[in-house]
Amino acid sequence: MKIRRKLGGVCGNDVVVSWRLFFWFVVLFVFSFVLFSTMFVFKGKFRPLVRSTRSFSASRAVLDDTATLSPAVSIREAVKLPEQTLIFLKYPRSLRLLTKEDLICVFSSGGDSLRKEKPEAVDSDKFGGQIVRCPETPRDHTVSLAISRWTTDDHLPAGPTHQWDWLVYDAVIDHDNSTVVFVKGLNLKPGKIADVSRYECVYGWDFAKHNRLIRSDVISAAQEIVRCRTPLTVLNGPKSAHGPVKVSVRIKGGTGMLPSIAQPDRIVRPPRRKPFEMCVCTMTRNAAAVLREWVMYHAGIGVQRWFIYDNNSDDDIIAEIEDLERRGYNVSRHFWPWIKTQEAGFSNCAIRARNDCDWISFIDVDEFYYIRSGENLTSVIRNYTASAEIGEIRTPCHSFGPSGLRNRPRGGVTEGYTCRVILPERHKSILRPESMNATLINVVHHFHLKDGFTFADVDKEVMVINHYKYQVWDVFKEKFYRRVATYVADWQNDENVGSRDRAPGLGTRPVEPPDWPERFCEVNDTGLRDQVLEKYMDNKLQRLIWEKDDGMGSRV
């Protein structure tokens, strides 16, 4: 069908327009426009403008062809500790993480002079970022990071810096949806519940914007732990472009809100049946030399899972843990750099272990369960927990001395140290995680329990803990260089000199007494050593299963 219209053309003639012809004309016009536009782009006639989001000049930062730094990498914040500074790096999801060799710690004092040092270590955090351990920041200096491949003195802008002893440093959302907050600076009394009306919890992405903060009530406060009522907007709200929400604690009518680096992560609800009957948690520093013996021995008596809270180790503990994992031991390392926080770390571990473990023990890496009958640890637990009211099992400890040795025993502590003091010291606990009181109070390795639960004392003729507390001088000196427990004084500090946590008669001077090898030896006790030589000896290689060789068949 054709439509005829009279148009006033230049000649005044009639024009016949076909709809089909008009359609193909439009198609041809569009195709030509796209074709010529593409040609202009590829010939360089059109160059789009790309704006960089870098906070420093890209032209001054030159990386090699194997690694580049994303503009989105930034220093989130830093924390000054007595012997190091922690720098928290924030990453986009798509970027590969930097290594220790990639980074340089840069210290500046406001002038043009810069001091550079390699970081001591780099750890991953729980939100995909990194924690860089730089040396101690000098007085009146700021700390930042540079990339080792940069050819100039450019570096990342420094973030806010906090002091370790006035800080909210960790947080976790518990199974009941409350937030457990770990705090330094409240100075609450050990083992006592504080008045919660003095505090409130504060949530937000930027604490400088006071009108954007969410406040909530405190449920309990004790020692270094504050339990908060988590707002629904935090539990159910969408994730912010600024990253995970932070939580802090405000002291009402006092010094205000504490600085915070704590971004609470959520504990997944436990499965119907827990995968492990018996677990162990420890906090340690530089335990690479003894970890194999401690793990392998306890695996032989029924321990199935190990939580290692690493308190600033600078030895080969990561390599040792990886080797144990390759051998089939279920060991996990949790970087816990905070000073004098053993009680808080054990509470953190107990919360996380609740998903996996029917029972969890809190002992040090120089402590070994010794069951005189040779039976399994889980059998002893069952014998003492016939009643459902038992939430904790307490085991007495025997403290061993250097046993006449001057050098570290090659077969390990269980083989080498055989002389101890007569009377037991204190006890250590095996805990049913569900029995913990909501305050999470724990003192010297045992927890306050919920109403309706009680504890059972293990007979020392059934089971004890061999605590190899006073080893050869070089080991002892390293162990007591800085005590991790919150309420235990460092042995070189002139305070609480009469405390049982100190080495009796040692005083505060870091000098080896001439009779050190013979001290703390009141009774010979070879019971555990005899069990170890019978059960853990590799008869073919003639060495204990945790011993290493030097590559030539010699014992190390």
Side-chain angles (χ1 to χ4, degrees):
M1 174 180 179
K2 294 181 180 180
I3 302 174
R4 299 175 181 273
R5 294 184 180 171
K6 295 199 182 234
L7 302 176
V10 291
C11 300
N13 301 324
D14 292 346
V15 178
V16 179
V17 180
S18 169
W19 283 111
R20 183 176 299 173
L21 182 63
F22 178 78
F23 171 80
W24 285 110
F25 172 81
V26 172
V27 170
L28 181 61
F29 175 83
V30 172
F31 176 80
S32 301
F33 177 83
V34 172
L35 177 63
F36 281 102
S37 297
T38 304
M39 290 175 65
F40 264 75
V41 170
F42 280 96
K43 285 183 178 183
K45 301 297 183 180
F46 172 74
R47 297 185 182 273
L49 176 64
V50 180
R51 297 186 180 273
S52 173
T53 60
R54 296 178 82 111
S55 58
F56 50 90
S57 173
S59 63
R60 295 176 59 199
V62 181
L63 305 185
D64 68 7
D65 292 335
T66 63
T68 58
L69 184 67
S70 165
V73 174
S74 61
I75 294 177
R76 180 161 60 89
E77 51 210 333
V79 177
K80 287 185 178 181
L81 290 94
E83 297 175 357
Q84 65 180 346
T85 298
L86 306 178
I87 297 181
F88 294 79
L89 281 181
K90 182 180 178 181
Y91 279 80
R93 293 180 179 273
S94 59
L95 188 68
R96 78 166 182 88
L97 299 180
L98 296 168
T99 66
K100 177 181 175 181
E101 287 69 31
D102 292 328
L103 296 166
I104 298 175
C105 302
V106 180
F107 303 96
S108 58
S109 59
D112 296 331
S113 61
L114 299 175
R115 171 182 161 189
K116 298 181 179 180
E117 293 189 40
K118 293 295 294 182
E120 297 170 357
V122 177
D123 283 273
S124 298
D125 69 16
K126 56 190 177 184
F127 290 105
Q130 283 181 310
I131 306 172
V132 183
R133 294 164 58 186
C134 288
E136 182 180 359
T137 303
R139 183 185 296 272
D140 299 325
H141 282 63
T142 60
V143 62
S144 184
L145 291 173
I147 308 301
S148 59
R149 297 180 176 89
W150 288 356
T151 59
T152 71
D153 288 335
D154 217 342
H155 53 272
L156 293 169
T161 301
H162 314 296
Q163 297 295 326
W164 71 275
D165 55 355
W166 178 250
L167 183 69
V168 175
Y169 58 89
D170 199 18
V172 61
I173 298 178
D174 206 351
H175 295 144
D176 62 357
N177 287 334
S178 64
T179 304
V180 180
V181 181
F182 298 86
V183 188
K184 271 286 185 187
L186 296 183
N187 297 322
L188 303 181
K189 294 182 179 180
K192 303 295 183 181
I193 299 176
D195 179 5
V196 298
S197 66
R198 295 181 55 203
Y199 310 102
E200 71 173 353
C201 301
V202 183
Y203 296 79
W205 287 271
D206 185 353
F207 289 142
K209 299 178 179 178
H210 297 283
N211 60 338
R212 303 290 297 275
L213 301 179
I214 306 171
R215 304 176 188 275
S216 72
D217 295 333
V218 171
I219 300 172
S220 65
Q223 296 183 177
E224 293 189 2
I225 300 172
V226 175
R227 189 180 287 270
C228 308
R229 197 177 308 280
T230 312
L232 290 176
T233 50
V234 173
L235 289 173
N236 305 323
K239 292 184 177 180
S240 167
H242 303 289
V245 67
K246 282 185 177 182
V247 61
S248 185
V249 174
R250 188 180 77 86
I251 303 173
K252 298 179 181 178
T255 52
M257 187 167 61
L258 279 79
S260 174
I261 63 168
Q263 300 172 320
D265 61 324
R266 186 188 292 270
I267 296 295
V268 179
R269 292 189 177 277
R272 291 183 178 179
R273 181 177 178 82
K274 298 183 181 182
F276 307 112
E277 187 172 355
M278 184 64 208
C279 305
V280 169
C281 181
T282 193
M283 183 178 293
T284 189
R285 179 179 183 268
N286 289 347
V290 298
L291 194 64
R292 283 167 60 92
E293 178 185 10
W294 186 74
V295 169
M296 290 180 176
Y297 170 80
H298 284 102
I301 63 170
V303 175
Q304 302 161 302
R305 175 84 164 85
W306 294 261
F307 297 86
I308 312 296
Y309 275 58
D310 183 359
N311 192 229
N312 295 303
S313 295
D314 53 19
D315 60 359
D316 295 326
I317 190 169
I318 295 177
E320 286 293 340
I321 290 174
E322 291 174 347
D323 180 68
L324 287 167
E325 289 178 320
R326 285 191 294 270
R327 295 170 182 268
Y329 298 96
N330 198 323
V331 184
S332 60
R333 171 182 176 266
H334 306 266
F335 181 52
W336 189 264
W338 315 114
I339 297 174
K340 307 290 284 183
T341 57
Q342 187 179 53
E343 290 81 3
F346 281 170
S347 295
N348 186 285
C349 184
I351 294 173
R352 297 184 184 280
R354 185 161 45 193
N355 279 359
D356 293 339
C357 312
D358 290 331
W359 294 91
I360 183 165
S361 171
F362 299 89
I363 57 176
D364 299 331
V365 293
D366 59 357
E367 296 174 331
F368 291 72
Y369 282 100
Y370 168 38
I371 305 170
R372 300 183 187 278
S373 66
E375 64 183 313
N376 199 283
L377 180 57
T378 52
S379 298
V380 174
I381 293 173
R382 293 191 193 106
N383 291 338
Y384 277 88
T385 57
S387 169
E389 296 179 349
I390 303 299
E392 186 177 59
I393 302 170
R394 297 181 176 180
T395 308
C397 302
H398 283 306
S399 294
F400 281 70
S403 305
L405 301 179
R406 295 186 180 275
N407 298 308
R408 189 191 298 265
R410 64 182 186 178
V413 298
T414 53
E415 180 209 39
Y417 298 114
T418 57
C419 201
R420 62 171 174 83
V421 297
I422 294 177
L423 297 177
E425 291 184 1
R426 290 182 170 169
H427 60 263
K428 297 294 176 76
S429 293
I430 304 173
L431 176 74
R432 189 197 304 268
E434 289 77 14
S435 70
M436 289 186 298
N437 188 285
T439 62
L440 300 178
I441 292 177
N442 68 96
V443 181
V444 195
H445 300 240
H446 71 266
F447 282 78
H448 286 200
L449 303 178
K450 292 177 180 177
D451 291 341
F453 284 96
T454 188
F455 62 88
D457 287 317
V458 175
D459 189 327
K460 63 183 177 61
E461 298 301 321
V462 175
M463 181 173 72
V464 296
I465 290 175
N466 280 12
H467 183 188
Y468 300 101
K469 182 175 182 179
Y470 309 114
Q471 300 184 33
V472 296
W473 179 258
D474 287 343
V475 175
F476 175 84
K477 183 173 62 176
E478 167 63 22
K479 173 187 175 183
F480 282 78
Y481 171 64
R482 185 183 66 210
R483 306 294 297 275
V484 299
T486 306
Y487 305 105
V488 176
D490 293 346
W491 71 283
Q492 296 181 62
N493 293 343
D494 190 11
E495 57 181 271
N496 297 331
V497 176
S499 170
R500 288 192 301 168
D501 294 299
R502 290 188 171 275
L506 183 63
T508 60
R509 296 175 57 209
V511 178
E512 179 180 3
D515 63 340
W516 181 257
E518 286 72 41
R519 289 194 177 190
F520 314 109
C521 181
E522 297 174 345
V523 59
N524 286 312
D525 184 345
T526 62
L528 182 54
R529 185 200 63 179
D530 296 341
Q531 278 192 8
V532 162
L533 292 176
E534 179 182 354
K535 185 175 180 180
Y536 296 92
M537 178 65 71
D538 186 324
N539 293 321
K540 181 178 180 181
L541 298 176
Q542 284 301 297
R543 64 170 182 252
L544 295 168
I545 62 173
W546 47 77
E547 288 186 74
K548 298 180 180 180
D549 60 48
D550 58 5
M552 302 178 64
S554 301
R555 297 170 67 182
V556 176

